[in-house]
Amino acid sequence: MKGNRPTIKAEPRSKMGSRYAARYRQSGHLPAVIYGHGTKPESVNLSAEAVIPQIEAGEKVFNLEMAGASGQMLLLKEVQFDYLGTNIIHADFARVDLNERVRTKVHVELTGDAKGLKSAGAILMHPTSELEIECRVADLPDVIQVNVSDLEMNQSITADKVKLPSADMKLVTDPHAIVAQIVEQKEEVVAEAA
């Protein structure tokens, strides 16, 4: 939950279509769409160099700086990647009020050294790396930390056992989703051909 939200500078995009979007990307822009709060969606260009590192660092809420719309808050709703799944090529943002309640996914960060990892062959599994929560935009956390220090062999931590950063937050993810568990790695015995 950050007090200082990053600012993104946007300029309206006049030409639409994948051919033009590719040209914008080549010139250092990230094509994006801003929608919500009863206004029609706006196609804009953002500075890829300024915005993509912020998105990759986990930022979700931004101040908008754009002619005629400065001072608005934006919530990152979706990003699209290239065909390899490595580079961000498009982003969708929704206009929001800081007191508005939203649903969004937040990255889970495991902390601590699990007791169960001291056993031979023990491995820590992290099947659910994001939790979907509902909270006020102003309270949106960058990450949700889960301490695994007391986790023993064959034990797990489910989503409903994760302590959310604020009592006002509501878990949307399936409460039985496994966030962390310690299992014993079994060696496969390959039978020799007779």
Side-chain angles (χ1 to χ4, degrees), residues 14-167:
S14 54
K15 297 181 178 176
M16 307 304 149
S18 57
R19 191 173 77 212
Y20 292 111
R23 288 181 188 167
Y24 288 130
R25 283 192 287 275
Q26 286 171 353
S27 64
H29 292 99
L30 174 66
V33 174
I34 300 172
Y35 59 91
H37 276 257
T39 59
K40 65 182 178 86
E42 285 185 81
S43 296
V44 297
N45 276 329
L46 310 173
S47 164
E49 186 180 11
V51 177
I52 290 176
Q54 300 277 5
I55 293 172
E56 289 174 340
E59 290 290 349
K60 295 228 187 261
V61 181
F62 299 86
N63 289 308
L64 173 63
E65 190 175 301
M66 183 169 87
S70 289
Q72 295 180 1
M73 298 300 291
L74 301 179
L75 175 66
L76 178 66
K77 294 300 275 184
E78 189 176 341
V79 291
Q80 293 171 10
F81 292 88
D82 61 9
Y83 66 97
L84 293 174
T86 51
N87 298 314
I88 296 173
I89 60 169
H90 188 273
D92 287 345
F93 295 88
R95 291 179 186 87
V96 290
D97 181 304
L98 287 178
N99 292 315
E100 185 177 339
R101 289 186 72 81
V102 293
R103 282 185 173 193
T104 189
K105 292 183 178 174
V106 180
H107 182 71
V108 173
E109 184 180 277
L110 301 181
T111 63
D113 295 322
K115 291 177 184 175
L117 286 178
K118 294 185 173 99
S119 305
I123 55 170
L124 177 64
M125 305 287 285
H126 187 23
T128 303
S129 61
E130 289 183 322
L131 291 179
E132 187 173 5
I133 62 168
E134 180 186 297
C135 68
R136 287 180 349 136
V137 173
D139 296 334
L140 192 64
D142 296 328
V143 296
I144 295 174
Q145 293 189 332
V146 177
N147 189 331
V148 296
S149 300
D150 294 330
L151 204 55
E152 298 280 3
M153 177 70 84
N154 299 319
Q155 286 185 338
S156 62
I157 298 173
T158 53
D160 61 341
K161 300 286 188 266
V162 173
K163 185 178 182 333
L164 297 177
S166 162

Side-chain angles (χ1 to χ4, degrees), residues 174-187:
D174 174 6
H176 304 295
I178 295 174
V179 175
Q181 73 182 87
I182 296 183
V183 295
E184 187 177 352
Q185 190 172 25
K186 304 261 195 267
E187 282 189 36

